[in-house]
Structures are given as structure tokens and as C-alpha cells.
Amino acid sequence: MKKNKLLLIGWDAADWDIIWPLIAEGKMPALKKLIENGVYGNMSTMNPPYSPMLWTSVVTGKTPDKHGVLGFIEVSPDATTVGPVTTASRKTRALWNIFHNKGMKSNLVGWWPSFPAEKIDGYVISDRFSKTHRDPTKATPISELAIHPWDKKDDFKDLRMFPFEITQAHLYPFVPRAHEVDQENHKGLNAIAKIVSANTSLHNAATKLLRTTEWDFMAVYHDMIDHFCHSFMKYYPPKPPSVNQKNYDIFKEAVRGSYVFQDMMLERTLQLIDDDTTVIVMSDHGFESGAKRILDMPKVQAAPALEHRQFGIFVASGPNIKKNEKVFGMGLIDVAPTILHHFGLPIGRDMDGKVILDIFKETTPPAYIESWDKEEGDFADLEPTENEDTLSDEETLQQLIDLGYVEKLDEKFEVAIKKTRIDLKHNLARVYLGKKDFDSSKKLLLELLEEEPPTDLAPFLMDLISIAVMEKEFEKANDYLHKVKNSKTQVKYNLDYTEAQILTEMGEPEKALVILEKNKETNTTGEVLFRIGKLKYQFRDFENARVILEEAIEKEPQKATYHAAMAETLLQLDEYEEAAEYALTSIELVKYYPNAHFLLGQALEQLGDLDNAKIAFEMASKLKPKEFHPAKQSLENITKKIELNLSFEDDVTNVYRENQITLVSGLPRSGTSLMMQMLDKGGISILQDKKRVADISNPKGYYEYEPVMSIYKDNSWLEKGQNKGIKIVAPLLKYLDNQYRYKIIFMKRDLNEIIQSQQKMIGKNEDVFPVKLYNQFQKLLANVQVWDKKQPGVEILYIDYKGLLIDPEPQLDKIEKFLGVSLNKEQMKSCIDMSLYRNRS
Amino acid sequence: MSNKNKIARQFFDPNTVPLEGSLGILALGDIGFDAWRKVKKENNIKKINEKK
């Protein structure tokens, strides 16, 4: 047997949520053995999560816009009909093409799509091999294009199992009460017969190839778990309220049964390979098995894909694979580069994925070439064929229709072709959206909006809303939302949720919260709860934010963002240990999540664990170096603390920060102009434009810079403020750009005095005390403290206005020390004019 | 043939394959499926002969 062989096994839709309990019960011993002797982790899917697109990404290392497989069906080359997607749609080379060129042998079994079979060095048992006619009296010849090499077809033709061969002995392990099924009204047993027989056919072909052929690479694909889940997930425990009790009792073991049988096949497969073979078992996406199961399938193309979950599985075991370790950050497009690297072959720079070096015990840096598609030579590229294969097409298409992935095709082919083209275009737009190539996505979506009825435009509008929100074009987003509301779409979108998202991004969180809380009465999904929790946080209602986020996490415990939001909330509640735990859970779910590492660092810093906090900040900074200023600043702060041997409670405020921006802030009429004057006299260069001239309220001048007033729209001028002093009132602090370091001298003055001074300045009746305004100011001051806690690049020194006037020396010493620069304190003191201390309380 | 295949065959006796088949037989792959088909074929022949 050859060394360095690699066997890739695809279990469509396999999900850890179902696997772990089965492993704990001892029902998946083969997979358990692979995990114990290898690595495992989550496999991140892509959008849209349509299996032929995804499995093609797996073997090409490219996103669907590059590999060309854009859906379940395709328009025929001569544009006269539509049919299930074929190899002809793929416009880039797959792994086996590369191996063929390198003189390596590859076997493919059931890969989706692999029909028509490419003439590689090895065997191809294509995805059409297992498709048989539903009518047992009708023959199902194997197409010449379904097997390669065709002269070996006799070795495989009798390995196909037909649905009518399924017996009770095969059914009972899945459905112990199969004899109770009302087969007139429930087609569940027929579905199982088809799925099991088709997958058995493929397993038979795979085991034959494993036993009797020489190979270097082998890829085997099974759709059993996916098809069982689509048919029977509604019966998976716990029973959803709307599901029929009798059917639930009968079919509740079906899904688990499919996993157990798949593992039995794996056990046999592992018996047929040697210890030098590397095995990968993976899925393209997960499958919802909890509260997010869809019980009432909407009538849209590929609706079953709505049941797919973000994370599938990845397991690898072999001589050069680490043992019993979890790996993170794997995506479907990473599989092909990783397999190429395993074989010592270079990666195409046009591949979108990367080599996951973490899985290997020993490794070398990956090598690269421009593109495998540009290499000359024999790659067994597919030749165009004029052969028709209507029967195989018909059965495959019928299966897709039965599963609900494809609507029953219109009898008029021209209509079917048009619908297919629209769907493929939309899928491509969604791929671009997933890649954040908004311009390319928008172009296609806007073209799709020109389609006439009965085309449902709502899916295109929803994607345009997502883009408009990300590009901060809120008017457009609202316009599209309005159109969706007025459309006759069959899809039950949660438009309240969408509207709340837009309002939040527009800076109208109060309105967003009202809508979401009303929506919550009928729709308590994790997403809605999470949004409400984030808004509660924004309103500083941390206790309620905690309660709501707990509910969200209970609904969807796998959401890293929910755990991170909880960590953030707990930091505000000074519950640092719990905050650290939630941050760690978030990282466990998604390792490469910069914000989660940052939150962990903050929690650890507060717990006094400076060394580990530093590691967490380093990771956060490394993962997002260009934008993550708070992490970099936190890292600087903590490094300084460790250098200066400070305890975790100490501030590092008395250090000059390179290019620091000195801000003077507070409520209006709290003494900010006086402080600006003092800094000016003290030697700090001031950023001002003198547009507002001195007056009776401020006889010594305002020291203002006009762009400050519109900082919420544009804060780019802050660059000019480096090593200078700027005046900025407290409500505007939240618009500061966090890439800079700020030293804020915050003026505190008795609130009653402030309000009196303001009332006088604007000519209001000083005898009428504005209670509402007083409360708002108190809230604002508290908000500043909350904001300060989150900003590692911000240091605040609170200066009491009255204290400054009456006893300036200690205050001036504090300011000098805080700023870390030498100041002319005598000149600063000379600015004090007690005659201007009016409106005393 | 590797030791693993020998071990697999020791546990699989084609003569004990039941007519109804089983998931275990199917999980064995091509050799189990072949053996099961043989049993079914022999059983059909037997029935035909009995009728005769």
C-alpha cells in the first residue's frame, strides 16, 4: 500500500449537536476513535448553504463565483432545458484534476456533482450512479457518463441497491414501530427506503474500490444524514408542540439512526485502510435540531436550506495529524489547500482558502503557484459532450423536487429556464454578499429587481437591505423595506427585526427597542432576544440586558456573539469572573473572534491576572491589527502596568502618550472655557478657530473649534488635534475616533450651578428649575463613566471647578502629572478671576 | 491483504446472512451486499424448484 494516502469522506449536514450525545452513548465508536486519535472542530459553511456549491468549494478551494457551480440545477449548454447541476458547470480544476496531472490516482464516489465522470487516472462513480427508477418494474440502466472507466462498469453495476430491496430488517433500526405507519398518508418509510438504498449503493462502490484498487486520494460523499434530517428532524426530540404525537412517537429515532448507520459504514471503511492513510470526515453545514427547526417550510426555491446551520463538522486523523486536539477557524474553502499541502503540492494563489497548518504535527511553509488553471498539461479536463441522459437527469431532478430543494419545473421549458437563470443569478449575488463584494452583489440584485411577476422580488430586496445597512445608506434600506412590506411575498420574513436593525444603525435605538419588544410577544427567537439585550446594554440597563441575553443563550447556546455580549454586560456589572467565563466560551465557539479576546483581557485585567490579560489583548490585536485600537491600547496600558510594577487597580494615567490629544470636556457651563484658557497659558497648543467671539458669558473667549459640533458626522479632523488641546462637550465624547489616545480633563461643577448658568445664558427664567434637564444631565454624567470603562485609549481626570478656583495649586499639579508634560502653572493660575464665578449654589 | 481485512472476514460468514438482510450486512459494503444478494437468489431458485 502507498504512503501518504488521503481519504476524504463527506457526510452532508452532519452536526456536532447530534453527534456528541451519540458518542457519549457509545453509538458512534468509529468516529469517536478518529477524534481520539486525531483533530476535530467546527467547519464553517458559506452563504447560500446549497450543497453542490459547497462540496465543489471543498474540492476546489474556491468560492462559488470562481468555481461556477451556483445551485442545484443548471441550464443546459444549448439553453433548451434545465436539469440537475453537473460537472460541466464547474469552471475550475478540482483536486483530482491536479492529482491526475501529477501522476497520482484518485477515486471518487458519489461526489456532488461528479457527473459526467471525468476521465482521471482512477475511478469515478458519479453522483448519478445511485439514482434508480422509483418504479421497480422499470429498468434503470447506468449511463456511460456515470462511471469511469466505462469498461469496468460490470464491477459496479450489481452493487446498486434498489429501494424495493429494503426489508423490515433494514427499517426497524430507524423506525422500531414501522408496522404502525399509515403508509397511505405518510411516505416516511418510502423516503427511508430510497435514502438507505442509494447510500448503500455508494458505500458498496467505495468499499469495492478500497479493497481492490490502488489509489492516492479518494473522496466519498454521503447524503444520508442530510436527507434523513430534512424528512424527519421535526420528529427529533424534544417534540415541537405542533407536531403530531403519534408520528413523533414512531419516527423520533430516525435521525439518530441515520448517524448510527453512517458510523457503521465508517467502521467498515476504516477496516479497509492502513495506518498510513490520513482520513478526513467532514460536513458542509450543520442542521438545526433545536428551537430553530422549520416545521412549516416556506414555498421558495431551495427552502430546505433554511434548516442548515452555520457549523458543520471536521475530523482528521493520520500519521502526521495531531492527536486529540481541537482545531479552530476551518472553512470549506480551506480543505483543498490543506489536502494539496498534505501531498506536498503548491496552492494556487487564486484559491480563496488557506492551509490549516494547525492540524499537522510537523509541517513546512506552504508553497504557491499562480493558478492550477493556468498550468499546462493533462488534467483530464472535462470534454464537452452531446450525450443526453434524460433518465438519469429525470430521477435526479425528481429527487431534488421531492426533497423540496427545487420547485416542480414549469411545463413550459422557457419558463423553467428563466426561473433557473434568476435563481442562479441570485445565488451568485448572495456569494458576493458573503464575500462583502457589495458592488458586484448590488449590480446583480438591481438587475433582478427588473424581473416581472410572478417573480418574487422580496428575496432580492432583503439582500439589498443588508447591503444598504452595511453601507450606512439608511434611506435606501427603509425604501427597500417598504417595498418588501408591500410585496405579496410568500416568505414570512421577520420585518420587525429588520426594521429594528435599520433603526439601531441609524441611531434611533429607542424606536428599535419598542418594535422588538412588541415583536418578542410572538417571536422569541434567539436573534430577537439578542438584539433586545444589546439595546438594553446601550441604555445602561445592564441587569435587564443580562436577563435577556441569558434567554438568548438558552435558545442558541452556540452563538459566539451572544456569549461575547454577555461578557460585555457582566464587565459593566463588575462581575469579572463570570465575564471571563462567557468570553472564554465565545472563544471556544469561534477562536478567531477579536472582540471576545479583548473582553477576556478586560475581565482578566480586572481580576488582577495581568500576564494572561496581556496575552488576551495580544491575540485580539493580532487578529484585527488594522482596526482594533482598543486592544492595542489595552496592551500598551497593561504592558506599562507590568513594567512599572503597578497593581491591577492602579491607573497608568500619569504617562505621556505619544501624539495624545488633550480634551477639555464636561457639561456646558461647567468651566471648560476656563480650563482651555489655562491650558493655553500653560503651554499647550490649542486647536481652535475663534469663530465664536468672547461675550458676557465668556469674556475671556470660548476656545472652540467649529468642526467639533458636527463630530457625529465627521471626526476625521481629530488627526489635527494630536499634541493639542480641544474643547468638546460631554455628549459628543462617544463620537471620538478610538484610534487615537486621549487625555480628558473633565470639569465637574455642581449641577444646580450649571443649570442656573445655562438658563441665564440662554435667557430662560432662572426661578423655574428644569427637572427633566437635571435628570438628563445626571444620566449623561453617568454615561460618561460607563463609556470611559470601555475605552482603553481614554484617560479621564476629573477636576472640580469650585476647587480649582478656590485652591488651584493641587489641581494644577494633578493636571501636569496627568498630562505628563511640563506646564507653566503660574500662568495657568493667573487665569483665575473670581469675579467671573457667578451662579454659585 | 492486511491484517485488518483478515480480521473482518473472520467475523463475517456469508453462510449466516439472513434472507431479510440487516443493516450490519449493508454496512459491510460490497462483500456483505454480494453475499446477501446470493442468499436471496438461492432462495428464489429454491422456491421455484419447490413449486415445480
Side-chain angles (χ1 to χ4, degrees), chain A residues 538-566:
Chain A
Q538 212 174 321
F539 295 130
R540 289 179 53 246
D541 186 0
F542 302 125
E543 279 298 346
N544 277 325
R546 188 226 294 252
V547 169
I548 299 275
L549 287 170
E550 263 168 6
E551 279 183 58
I553 289 170
E554 208 179 297
K555 293 256 177 208
E556 292 193 72
Q558 306 282 326
K559 286 283 196 183
T561 45
Y562 297 7
H563 289 272
M566 182 62 111

Tab-separated table of all heavy atoms in Angstrom, chain A residues 538-566:
chain	number	residue	atom	x	y	z
A	538	GLN	N	-27.110	49.223	25.652
A	538	GLN	CA	-26.876	50.581	25.161
A	538	GLN	C	-27.526	51.608	26.078
A	538	GLN	O	-27.004	52.699	26.287
A	538	GLN	CB	-27.476	50.705	23.761
A	538	GLN	CG	-26.725	51.650	22.853
A	538	GLN	CD	-27.264	51.625	21.436
A	538	GLN	OE1	-27.611	50.564	20.918
A	538	GLN	NE2	-27.320	52.764	20.815
A	539	PHE	N	-28.665	51.231	26.642
A	539	PHE	CA	-29.375	52.143	27.558
A	539	PHE	C	-28.894	51.985	28.994
A	539	PHE	O	-29.538	52.462	29.921
A	539	PHE	CB	-30.885	51.902	27.481
A	539	PHE	CG	-31.483	52.246	26.145
A	539	PHE	CD1	-32.311	51.356	25.489
A	539	PHE	CD2	-31.202	53.453	25.537
A	539	PHE	CE1	-32.845	51.664	24.243
A	539	PHE	CE2	-31.728	53.763	24.295
A	539	PHE	CZ	-32.551	52.864	23.653
A	540	ARG	N	-27.779	51.270	29.179
A	540	ARG	CA	-27.172	51.069	30.501
A	540	ARG	C	-28.065	50.270	31.443
A	540	ARG	O	-27.839	50.277	32.640
A	540	ARG	CB	-26.822	52.410	31.147
A	540	ARG	CG	-25.645	53.136	30.482
A	540	ARG	CD	-25.381	54.450	31.141
A	540	ARG	NE	-25.215	54.292	32.584
A	540	ARG	CZ	-26.050	54.778	33.490
A	540	ARG	NH1	-27.120	55.450	33.137
A	540	ARG	NH2	-25.816	54.601	34.783
A	541	ASP	N	-29.066	49.591	30.907
A	541	ASP	CA	-29.926	48.758	31.742
A	541	ASP	C	-29.281	47.378	31.814
A	541	ASP	O	-29.764	46.405	31.211
A	541	ASP	CB	-31.332	48.706	31.117
A	541	ASP	CG	-32.319	47.979	31.985
A	541	ASP	OD1	-31.931	47.514	33.079
A	541	ASP	OD2	-33.488	47.849	31.563
A	542	PHE	N	-28.151	47.299	32.539
A	542	PHE	CA	-27.310	46.111	32.458
A	542	PHE	C	-27.961	44.881	33.089
A	542	PHE	O	-27.775	43.768	32.597
A	542	PHE	CB	-25.954	46.377	33.117
A	542	PHE	CG	-25.232	47.536	32.494
A	542	PHE	CD1	-24.803	48.597	33.279
A	542	PHE	CD2	-24.987	47.578	31.130
A	542	PHE	CE1	-24.148	49.681	32.709
A	542	PHE	CE2	-24.333	48.662	30.552
A	542	PHE	CZ	-23.911	49.719	31.341
A	543	GLU	N	-28.717	45.085	34.153
A	543	GLU	CA	-29.348	43.932	34.804
A	543	GLU	C	-30.337	43.265	33.855
A	543	GLU	O	-30.344	42.050	33.703
A	543	GLU	CB	-30.071	44.360	36.093
A	543	GLU	CG	-29.157	44.511	37.292
A	543	GLU	CD	-28.458	43.212	37.700
A	543	GLU	OE1	-28.857	42.113	37.249
A	543	GLU	OE2	-27.483	43.289	38.465
A	544	ASN	N	-31.168	44.083	33.214
A	544	ASN	CA	-32.130	43.505	32.267
A	544	ASN	C	-31.442	42.971	31.027
A	544	ASN	O	-31.869	41.967	30.450
A	544	ASN	CB	-33.184	44.547	31.881
A	544	ASN	CG	-34.291	44.610	32.914
A	544	ASN	OD1	-34.659	43.585	33.494
A	544	ASN	ND2	-34.806	45.800	33.172
A	545	ALA	N	-30.367	43.617	30.633
A	545	ALA	CA	-29.601	43.114	29.488
A	545	ALA	C	-29.113	41.700	29.798
A	545	ALA	O	-29.185	40.796	28.965
A	545	ALA	CB	-28.419	44.026	29.198
A	546	ARG	N	-28.653	41.509	31.040
A	546	ARG	CA	-28.148	40.204	31.450
A	546	ARG	C	-29.244	39.149	31.372
A	546	ARG	O	-29.052	38.075	30.818
A	546	ARG	CB	-27.604	40.285	32.896
A	546	ARG	CG	-26.905	39.021	33.318
A	546	ARG	CD	-27.296	38.517	34.697
A	546	ARG	NE	-26.919	39.348	35.771
A	546	ARG	CZ	-25.931	39.055	36.652
A	546	ARG	NH1	-25.230	37.971	36.513
A	546	ARG	NH2	-25.674	39.858	37.631
A	547	VAL	N	-30.419	39.489	31.891
A	547	VAL	CA	-31.534	38.532	31.907
A	547	VAL	C	-31.924	38.130	30.479
A	547	VAL	O	-32.088	36.951	30.162
A	547	VAL	CB	-32.743	39.154	32.654
A	547	VAL	CG1	-33.984	38.317	32.462
A	547	VAL	CG2	-32.429	39.322	34.133
A	548	ILE	N	-32.043	39.132	29.618
A	548	ILE	CA	-32.467	38.863	28.236
A	548	ILE	C	-31.399	38.057	27.489
A	548	ILE	O	-31.708	37.108	26.755
A	548	ILE	CB	-32.705	40.193	27.480
A	548	ILE	CG1	-33.797	41.008	28.137
A	548	ILE	CG2	-33.003	39.939	26.021
A	548	ILE	CD1	-35.201	40.673	27.733
A	549	LEU	N	-30.132	38.402	27.702
A	549	LEU	CA	-29.066	37.671	27.000
A	549	LEU	C	-28.990	36.226	27.483
A	549	LEU	O	-28.675	35.320	26.708
A	549	LEU	CB	-27.722	38.379	27.192
A	549	LEU	CG	-27.576	39.683	26.409
A	549	LEU	CD1	-26.320	40.437	26.840
A	549	LEU	CD2	-27.535	39.437	24.905
A	550	GLU	N	-29.308	36.011	28.743
A	550	GLU	CA	-29.348	34.631	29.259
A	550	GLU	C	-30.377	33.821	28.491
A	550	GLU	O	-30.155	32.670	28.118
A	550	GLU	CB	-29.705	34.637	30.744
A	550	GLU	CG	-28.494	34.561	31.652
A	550	GLU	CD	-28.817	34.867	33.122
A	550	GLU	OE1	-30.006	35.031	33.469
A	550	GLU	OE2	-27.866	34.968	33.904
A	551	GLU	N	-31.532	34.451	28.257
A	551	GLU	CA	-32.586	33.770	27.487
A	551	GLU	C	-32.120	33.493	26.059
A	551	GLU	O	-32.377	32.420	25.510
A	551	GLU	CB	-33.832	34.670	27.406
A	551	GLU	CG	-34.723	34.650	28.628
A	551	GLU	CD	-35.969	35.511	28.407
A	551	GLU	OE1	-36.713	35.230	27.456
A	551	GLU	OE2	-36.160	36.470	29.186
A	552	ALA	N	-31.440	34.469	25.470
A	552	ALA	CA	-30.960	34.299	24.087
A	552	ALA	C	-29.984	33.122	24.022
A	552	ALA	O	-30.038	32.296	23.105
A	552	ALA	CB	-30.299	35.581	23.595
A	553	ILE	N	-29.101	33.051	25.018
A	553	ILE	CA	-28.093	31.982	25.031
A	553	ILE	C	-28.747	30.625	25.238
A	553	ILE	O	-28.321	29.624	24.664
A	553	ILE	CB	-27.031	32.267	26.116
A	553	ILE	CG1	-26.160	33.444	25.657
A	553	ILE	CG2	-26.167	31.047	26.372
A	553	ILE	CD1	-25.234	33.991	26.719
A	554	GLU	N	-29.819	30.612	26.020
A	554	GLU	CA	-30.527	29.351	26.226
A	554	GLU	C	-31.130	28.854	24.900
A	554	GLU	O	-31.144	27.674	24.603
A	554	GLU	CB	-31.632	29.562	27.241
A	554	GLU	CG	-31.955	28.291	28.017
A	554	GLU	CD	-33.037	28.525	29.043
A	554	GLU	OE1	-32.798	29.334	29.965
A	554	GLU	OE2	-34.104	27.911	28.891
A	555	LYS	N	-31.613	29.814	24.112
A	555	LYS	CA	-32.203	29.439	22.821
A	555	LYS	C	-31.119	28.967	21.848
A	555	LYS	O	-31.313	28.039	21.082
A	555	LYS	CB	-32.907	30.656	22.184
A	555	LYS	CG	-34.115	31.144	22.923
A	555	LYS	CD	-35.388	30.734	22.237
A	555	LYS	CE	-36.578	31.182	23.065
A	555	LYS	NZ	-37.714	30.345	22.890
A	556	GLU	N	-30.021	29.687	21.824
A	556	GLU	CA	-28.960	29.377	20.845
A	556	GLU	C	-27.601	29.382	21.542
A	556	GLU	O	-26.856	30.353	21.439
A	556	GLU	CB	-28.985	30.401	19.720
A	556	GLU	CG	-30.227	30.304	18.853
A	556	GLU	CD	-30.099	31.109	17.571
A	556	GLU	OE1	-29.349	30.702	16.673
A	556	GLU	OE2	-30.748	32.162	17.490
A	557	PRO	N	-27.279	28.295	22.231
A	557	PRO	CA	-26.040	28.277	23.020
A	557	PRO	C	-24.756	28.288	22.183
A	557	PRO	O	-23.683	28.483	22.719
A	557	PRO	CB	-26.152	26.957	23.807
A	557	PRO	CG	-27.215	26.162	23.153
A	557	PRO	CD	-28.084	27.068	22.377
A	558	GLN	N	-24.890	28.095	20.867
A	558	GLN	CA	-23.692	28.027	20.033
A	558	GLN	C	-23.293	29.368	19.435
A	558	GLN	O	-22.398	29.456	18.625
A	558	GLN	CB	-23.921	27.063	18.852
A	558	GLN	CG	-24.389	25.690	19.248
A	558	GLN	CD	-23.244	24.849	19.754
A	558	GLN	OE1	-22.120	24.974	19.296
A	558	GLN	NE2	-23.517	23.987	20.703
A	559	LYS	N	-24.029	30.399	19.786
A	559	LYS	CA	-23.744	31.708	19.167
A	559	LYS	C	-22.650	32.440	19.948
A	559	LYS	O	-22.867	32.920	21.064
A	559	LYS	CB	-25.004	32.574	19.155
A	559	LYS	CG	-26.015	32.125	18.134
A	559	LYS	CD	-25.602	32.564	16.759
A	559	LYS	CE	-26.777	32.465	15.817
A	559	LYS	NZ	-26.460	32.810	14.457
A	560	ALA	N	-21.495	32.547	19.326
A	560	ALA	CA	-20.365	33.208	19.988
A	560	ALA	C	-20.693	34.665	20.309
A	560	ALA	O	-20.274	35.189	21.348
A	560	ALA	CB	-19.137	33.124	19.093
A	561	THR	N	-21.439	35.315	19.425
A	561	THR	CA	-21.730	36.744	19.636
A	561	THR	C	-22.580	36.950	20.876
A	561	THR	O	-22.445	37.962	21.572
A	561	THR	CB	-22.469	37.330	18.421
A	561	THR	OG1	-23.502	36.427	18.023
A	561	THR	CG2	-21.536	37.561	17.251
A	562	TYR	N	-23.458	35.995	21.175
A	562	TYR	CA	-24.317	36.137	22.357
A	562	TYR	C	-23.467	36.048	23.630
A	562	TYR	O	-23.662	36.817	24.582
A	562	TYR	CB	-25.384	35.037	22.393
A	562	TYR	CG	-26.391	35.036	21.258
A	562	TYR	CD1	-26.274	35.892	20.161
A	562	TYR	CD2	-27.461	34.155	21.261
A	562	TYR	CE1	-27.198	35.863	19.122
A	562	TYR	CE2	-28.390	34.123	20.233
A	562	TYR	CZ	-28.248	34.971	19.173
A	562	TYR	OH	-29.160	34.928	18.129
A	563	HIS	N	-22.539	35.114	23.641
A	563	HIS	CA	-21.677	34.959	24.815
A	563	HIS	C	-20.790	36.188	25.000
A	563	HIS	O	-20.536	36.619	26.116
A	563	HIS	CB	-20.819	33.691	24.669
A	563	HIS	CG	-21.596	32.429	24.803
A	563	HIS	ND1	-21.832	31.817	26.021
A	563	HIS	CD2	-22.224	31.661	23.882
A	563	HIS	CE1	-22.568	30.730	25.835
A	563	HIS	NE2	-22.812	30.614	24.546
A	564	ALA	N	-20.328	36.740	23.878
A	564	ALA	CA	-19.487	37.944	23.954
A	564	ALA	C	-20.291	39.115	24.506
A	564	ALA	O	-19.807	39.892	25.334
A	564	ALA	CB	-18.921	38.280	22.582
A	565	ALA	N	-21.545	39.244	24.054
A	565	ALA	CA	-22.396	40.340	24.535
A	565	ALA	C	-22.635	40.186	26.037
A	565	ALA	O	-22.668	41.170	26.787
A	565	ALA	CB	-23.723	40.348	23.784
A	566	MET	N	-22.785	38.963	26.484
A	566	MET	CA	-22.989	38.714	27.913
A	566	MET	C	-21.734	39.097	28.689
A	566	MET	O	-21.805	39.711	29.760
A	566	MET	CB	-23.306	37.228	28.139
A	566	MET	CG	-23.572	36.907	29.590
A	566	MET	SD	-25.007	37.786	30.233
A	566	MET	CE	-26.118	36.424	30.459
